Amino acid sequence: MASDASLAFEVLPALVTFAALTPATTPPEVVGSMGATAGATTAGTVFAFFTATFFVVATFLAGAFLAIAFFTGAFLTVTFLATAFLATAFLATGAFFVVAFAAAFGAAIALLDSKIAGSKSAEIKATPAALLIHLELFKLLTILIFTFPNFSRRSPARMKRFFSPMSGRGWSAGATCAQICSWDGRLTPMPVNQDFVSKVQVFEPHKASLPPLIPYIKEFWNRRVFAIELARFNDKAEYLGSRLGKVWLILNPLLLGIVYYVVIVIIRGGSDHNGLTRLNHLLIGLFTFYFAQSTVMAGAQSITLGGRLILNQAFPRTLLPFSCAIQAFREFLPTIPVYILVLLVGNWLSPATKFAGVSWNFLWIPFVIACIALTAFGLALLFATMNVYFRDTNKLLTYITRIWMYLSPILWLPSSLHGKSKLLLYINPLGPALTGNSRIWIDDTGLSQNVILGCIFWAVTSMCVGGYFFISRERDFAIRI
Amino acid sequence: MPEELAVRIEDLSITYKVSLESKRTFKNALMRASLRQDAKMRTIEAVKHMTLDIPHGSVLGIVGSNGAGKSTLMRCIAGILTPTQGRVAVNGKISTLLALGVGFNPALSGRDNIILGGLASGLSKEEIESKTDEIAKFADLPDGFIDLPVRTYSSGMYGRLSFSVAVTMTPDILLLDEALSAGDAAFKEKSFDRMRQLCAEARTILIVSHALATVTDLCDQAIWMHKGTMLAQGKPDKIVAEYLKFLNVGTLPSNYEDM
């Protein structure tokens, strides 16, 4: 949560600049060209940044070598020549790849921007979201570029092997282990002495990658109380010492929502004809997104942080991310009354604010929330597994969730997308659900068929993919913690 | 599996690979792959071809120097680690005390932690709630400590509480790893009594201990493990004497050298 607050302060200046550059009245074609310019600027900035980095590193190296040579008094000329050569070579190879990479990247962004600008909407391109996405992509690019030069020396076959999820070295380091050592949770009832619980457990290596699912699910169901209580006790422990306690759970997204509102609507100078409708859309979107985000982020860490439990107790490991999902849900629930309060107050202050009232459409909400929970839980399982093998997954995840938020219909309205750009909503795992959510709460309309199908598709896909990855590898966790 | 057996271990081997990297990160993997380096891995054979039957009602002591594979064996019997080869069959409900305070949250009270620890080891909520007072009584904490956060406990009190949670479960098979050192002399006597009581109820206990007196006092069977293999099995007195001789001399007895 703290990182989100810092996020607001980090992006605020950028938002203000962009908002100042893009008045709400800018005609679409101007905005389009701005998008293309942004793409070109992207390439330029990246190039300048990396050239500068390489230059600094090379200069530093040269300086260090010179200092050593000076103090030892020997080999002065040789050292100097070697350093100069090294620096030039470093700069040259680095610059070559950076130019190639940045050019391709800039072109792609420019293309994307011109596509978006080409659509009829004035909404998405004018929102700061576009700029924020650029910013986040920069950061990802930074990570990629640092490792890119090494890749040039790899043969295509090896590259393919590395990226292929099931067979590559990086990914399957654990697969061989998972294949040879896994426990079989088969429970065969057997008549034994009445003094004992008549249950024989057999542990032996088996070939199948998944354990028998029915006993697994039974065991999960039997142990569900453990996950629920773990969530409750974690909640209790977390807010035991803090004076405002659980109020922070509500204050944090509320304040962040207001910050975004100030930036998007007030600073941009846009006049909102619908009173505070935009604020309501933003708040319900943020609250719901936070539920998904904390499920994924906390769930991804639950295995690596639960080391002692995993080493010393046998239980279905899915219970730990599940417990995180429950905790996220417990934290999400109190934000709904807050949203309703804001809605009522907003309506009282500015009668133009859309006010949905109560209708049968609200019965869709449990469905939408369930879909969001399943999607997020599946993703949590996937990232939790990755985090066991690569401990820096969590760092990457902070960027991924931020990009994810800007790509979700929270800071912008789903209705601002037209034509092909509408696909953006459906590529995003939470896109359909968040669209539907906002439609129910704000417009008091039911869900369209596409949204329903989208919700179900992402919930099922994410549970299948995440569940498969997690359950097939969880028997390997104890030796990797 | 014969009914009188609690645990049957057949030709069990446990092997695992550990990475020699300080931290396994995506960045490292990417760099390594791009430089065509293989991950620095080391294969550890923790348990090698072990066969053992443990009948119900026996108290088995396991002795051996550090790294002999004792804890790995315990974890495998508990179903936490998976065999690489062979088979482990367990007949009955297992309770483990492999480390102190598993599942405990230091910020919460002793009472809350009893519930948390009980649920972690597989009890239902009703079962553990009905036993909370009994456990608190057994742990015999000073006045009022049971409602204080566990972080305020002394390490002895912490150990007593977590030991009490494990033994009040009435498991069929209890796995203990160096846990008897919890608490002071009085509590040790109490925990010995409780273990004898569990044995009298024909429950099976496996104890890993470096306190050899514990093994001779409590156990009716003992095994000696050395570098993953089981060197000897027999009466505790005999095993402990041989193990002590090995510790003093530093070499294996000549009759074990072939193994």
Side-chain angles (χ1 to χ4, degrees), chain B residues 70-91:
Chain B
K70 305 183 297 286
S71 300
T72 309
L73 178 69
M74 293 287 239
R75 292 211 163 95
C76 187
I77 295 170
I80 297 163
L81 290 178
T82 50
T84 313
Q85 198 196 329
R87 183 169 184 273
V88 176
V90 176
N91 188 358

Side-chain angles (χ1 to χ4, degrees), chain A residues 267-297:
Chain A
I267 295 189
R268 258 187 60 212
S271 54
D272 205 333
H273 303 298
N274 297 325
L276 294 173
T277 309
R278 196 61 194 271
L279 176 67
N280 292 337
H281 167 76
L282 215 152
L283 280 183
I284 194 66
L286 268 185
F287 288 162
T288 320
F289 185 81
Y290 265 32
F291 163 48
Q293 186 189 322
S294 52
T295 303
V296 175
M297 300 271 286

Side-chain angles (χ1 to χ4, degrees), chain A residues 150 153-154 169 181-183 190-192 199-201 203-205 223 236 308 311-312 391-392 479, chain B residues 1 3 24-27 33-34 36 38 75 77 81-82 86-88 90-92 96 98 100 112 120:
Chain A
N150 293 321
R153 275 178 267 137
R154 295 173 52 79
R169 169 169 297 118
C181 49
S182 21
W183 71 279
M190 187 175 163
V192 270
K199 127 173 162 178
V200 175
Q201 282 173 284
F203 308 121
E204 57 188 0
R223 292 284 198 113
K236 188 173 167 183
R308 276 172 65 80
L311 271 180
N312 296 304
R391 297 299 165 94
D392 51 355
I479 58 168
Chain B
M1 182 174 175
E3 281 180 14
R24 288 190 60 93
T25 60
F26 190 60
K27 197 192 95 201
S34 67
R36 300 189 178 194
D38 285 330
R75 292 211 163 95
I77 295 170
L81 290 178
T82 50
R87 183 169 184 273
V88 176
V90 176
N91 188 358
T96 53
L98 299 177
L100 291 179
D112 286 346

Side-chain angles (χ1 to χ4, degrees), chain B residues 200-216:
Chain B
E201 292 167 17
R203 299 188 196 281
T204 313
I205 303 178
L206 273 70
I207 303 171
V208 166
S209 185
H210 289 293
L212 297 175
T214 312
V215 176
T216 42

Side-chain angles (χ1 to χ4, degrees), chain A residues 47 112 234 255 276 280 377 395 419:
Chain A
F47 177 66
L112 187 74
N234 277 345
L255 290 177
L276 294 173
N280 292 337
F377 181 52
K395 279 183 200 158

Side-chain angles (χ1 to χ4, degrees), chain A residues 356-371:
Chain A
V358 179
S359 78
W360 291 110
N361 285 325
F362 279 79
L363 290 178
W364 278 109
I365 285 176
F367 167 78
V368 172
I369 297 297
C371 284

Side-chain angles (χ1 to χ4, degrees), chain B:
Chain B
M1 182 174 175
E3 281 180 14
E4 69 276 8
L5 286 186
V7 181
R8 164 166 267 187
I9 302 169
E10 291 168 86
D11 191 33
L12 175 72
S13 293
I14 303 166
T15 309
Y16 53 83
K17 288 180 183 164
V18 287
S19 166
L20 297 183
E21 269 173 56
S22 57
K23 212 172 180 192
R24 288 190 60 93
T25 60
F26 190 60
K27 197 192 95 201
N28 284 350
L30 217 60
M31 292 297 274
R32 206 176 46 233
S34 67
L35 295 171
R36 300 189 178 194
Q37 284 170 353
D38 285 330
K40 292 192 185 75
M41 300 289 263
R42 191 172 155 186
T43 308
I44 292 177
E45 291 179 298
V47 177
K48 298 173 211 163
H49 303 290
M50 190 170 161
T51 302
L52 180 68
D53 282 344
I54 306 166
H56 272 302
S58 62
V59 182
L60 179 80
I62 304 173
V63 296
S65 22
N66 297 126
K70 305 183 297 286
S71 300
T72 309
L73 178 69
M74 293 287 239
R75 292 211 163 95
C76 187
I77 295 170
I80 297 163
L81 290 178
T82 50
T84 313
Q85 198 196 329
R87 183 169 184 273
V88 176
V90 176
N91 188 358
K93 197 164 75 177
I94 301 184
S95 177
T96 53
L97 187 48
L98 299 177
L100 291 179
V102 172
F104 278 22
N105 188 329
L108 296 173
S109 72
R111 208 174 285 280
D112 286 346
N113 273 310
I114 290 174
I115 295 177
L116 213 48
L119 287 168
S121 58
L123 284 189
S124 75
K125 207 182 168 198
E126 294 74 36
E127 272 178 290
I128 186 73
E129 273 177 348
S130 68
K131 279 183 178 163
T132 307
D133 290 330
E134 195 187 322
I135 294 172
K137 204 171 148 230
F138 187 84
D140 198 18
L141 300 175
D143 266 351
F145 261 90
I146 195 71
D147 292 312
L148 286 183
V150 167
R151 68 185 149 77
T152 61
Y153 287 21
S154 75
S155 57
M157 282 151 69
Y158 192 81
R160 276 153 69 161
L161 187 68
S162 83
F163 179 83
S164 312
V165 172
V167 294
T168 324
M169 302 298 171
T170 60
D172 303 321
I173 301 161
L174 179 63
L175 307 178
L176 292 174
D177 195 340
E178 278 303 326
L180 293 175
S181 46
D184 49 24
F187 187 75
K188 199 168 274 182
E189 195 48 49
K190 203 168 151 186
S191 57
F192 269 45
D193 285 346
R194 172 69 186 154
M195 302 252 266
R196 289 200 191 92
Q197 189 192 337
L198 285 171
C199 304
E201 292 167 17
R203 299 188 196 281
T204 313
I205 303 178
L206 273 70
I207 303 171
V208 166
S209 185
H210 289 293
L212 297 175
T214 312
V215 176
T216 42
D217 278 6
L218 273 176
C219 304
D220 52 22
Q221 282 282 315
I223 60 168
W224 172 12
M225 288 184 73
H226 186 72
K227 291 185 178 167
T229 44
M230 190 173 77
L231 280 188
Q233 177 185 7
K235 288 285 157 208
D237 295 343
K238 186 174 147 258
I239 299 290
V240 166
E242 279 181 10
Y243 176 57
L244 273 178
K245 209 165 110 193
F246 159 69
L247 286 183
N248 291 331
V249 178
T251 49
L252 292 176
S254 55
N255 51 328
Y256 292 137
E257 266 171 6
D258 308 338
M259 299 185 76

